[in-house]
Amino acid sequence: MTTVYERRTAPPVLPAPRSSPAGPLLALLWAGAAAVLVLWWTDTGSVVGTEGWLTGAGRIAGLLCGYSCAVLVGLMARVPLLERRIGSDRVARWHAMAGRYTVCLLVAHVALILTGYAAQDRASIVHETLTVVLDYPDMLMATAGTVILFAVGITSARAVRRRTSYEFWYYVHLLTYAAVFLAFFHQLSLGDDFNGKPVSTAAWYALYLGVAALVLWYRILAPVRLNLRHRLRVESVHKEAPGVYSVVVRGRRLDELGARPGQFFRWRFLGEGMGWASTPYSLSAPPRPDLMRITVKALGDHSAAVPLLRPGTRVWAEGPYGSLTADRGTTHRSLLIAGGVGITPLRALFETLPGDVTLLYRARTAEDLALGGELEAIADWRGAKVLYALNGPRGERPRFTAAALAATVPGLAEHDVYICGPHGFAQELYRELRAAGVPDRRIHHESFEL
């Protein structure tokens, strides 16, 4: 759709790279975990006997699990500072890691506390479990929350995730909010570290209410304001390659969104049964004041329904997100490497990145080269290079070795390299680029695998 998007007269000036707040934020999160341990230490006297050690370890695991739940939800809040400066993919990895820690701590908390209580009461584990669940305050809600968290953890496991639809995973994942809410109250009513201790109780409330405020603002109120203000609707749908379609979205004052080439939105199309899930798709062209475009490959139920969209269909969007932008650049020479539908954000960057730009596009066949005509036109206009890596006549895949990359792109080590494609593809490229002498700080990647 080169007729829809006007070309710029000149690429923009290279912006100064911004420092990432990832290091300070991680330090803050670990400091919070240390503060939780200090809370347990200051409120605990001498530990006596096996049951004392068991319940003490269970309390520590419970406190850390409660803190980890708050971190887990905070990372889901889509705070712009995290999504745009650190990167949505990195935040998603942190969230996944926090989820694994949370489930492990939850298992440890339940097992240690019940075993310790059973040892104190000289009772069986089954009897002690029934007593705790049925007789202790707020424990029925906490038990329901525990079951939900286990379900979320199971469906997030890689082996299970591969066998379930995105929509199923998405809705089970949303139950995390309910699980955290249900489990919150027993922490205060039963936790020795909070009973009769107004300072620690107030701090715990502040932690959870602060995270809840982030979720309320960035996941509910901000998207409502965006969509009421900009009134997005489908303008047109175009086939780009087998199973690949572009959707042009029209709206009002879209320049006020501050969207950058390389970023993405989370989209709901309120028609054709597509409004039930929010799915991330990158902008495949620089945004205009009245138009945005995404390009989608049919990989699941949501994306497969994209060709059925009709002009005028209302669109609900959240964003922009992502940090795969020109802000990451450190030099005036860039190499863009796209794998498959990973071409979408790189096509927008190919048009707008300043300096000397080379695009290397990996696809199975020539028919799978989505947006190829646009790429050639952009290359001619700005004097850039487009290189294609296709399978051989017998299906053999070209290898992106360090030697091959260095021979293809002279001065490779002095380039900023932007990668977008499947996770395995990006990992392999990263290793070869490092072997070719490209510094880590010049390799930029954002993955949208969930």
Side-chain angles (χ1 to χ4, degrees), residues 87-132:
S88 297
D89 60 334
R90 184 182 295 184
V91 173
R93 289 195 296 271
W94 289 358
H95 172 73
M97 184 180 299
R100 289 190 287 271
Y101 286 155
T102 301
V103 172
C104 291
L105 288 167
L106 181 60
V107 171
H109 171 62
V110 171
L112 290 167
I113 284 291
L114 291 177
T115 304
Y117 285 0
Q120 287 178 348
D121 297 339
R122 303 295 189 269
S124 68
I125 291 291
V126 174
H127 178 271
E128 196 64 36
T129 300
L130 293 174
T131 300
V132 169

Side-chain angles (χ1 to χ4, degrees), residues 72-73 76-78 95 145 148-149 151-153 155-156 166-182 215 219-220 266 268 275-279 318:
L72 192 70
V73 174
M76 293 171 65
R78 297 176 186 166
H95 172 73
I148 292 173
L149 277 178
V152 172
T155 56
S156 298
Y166 170 78
E167 289 75 17
F168 175 80
W169 172 87
Y170 176 81
Y171 283 108
V172 172
H173 220 64
L174 284 181
L175 293 175
T176 301
Y177 295 118
V180 172
F181 174 79
L182 291 169
V215 172
R219 295 208 63 164
I220 299 176
R266 296 178 185 271
R268 296 176 191 266
W276 297 103
S278 171
T279 306
E318 300 172 40

Side-chain angles (χ1 to χ4, degrees), residues 332-334 336 349-350 353-359 382-385:
H332 281 79
R333 304 174 73 187
S334 301
L336 314 180
L349 283 172
F350 188 51
L353 272 177
D356 181 10
V357 182
T358 300
L359 172 64
R382 62 174 300 169
K385 298 177 184 176

Side-chain angles (χ1 to χ4, degrees), residues 2 26 33 37 39 41 61 86 93 101 104 109 116 141 148 203 240 252 303 326 330 343 381 388 391 398 402 406 441:
T2 54
L26 284 176
L37 294 177
L39 174 65
W41 180 267
I86 294 176
R93 289 195 296 271
Y101 286 155
C104 291
H109 171 62
M141 288 197 306
I148 292 173
E240 303 287 1
R252 303 185 303 181
S303 54
T330 62
I343 189 60
W381 158 66
Y388 302 109
N391 287 359
R441 70 181 184 278

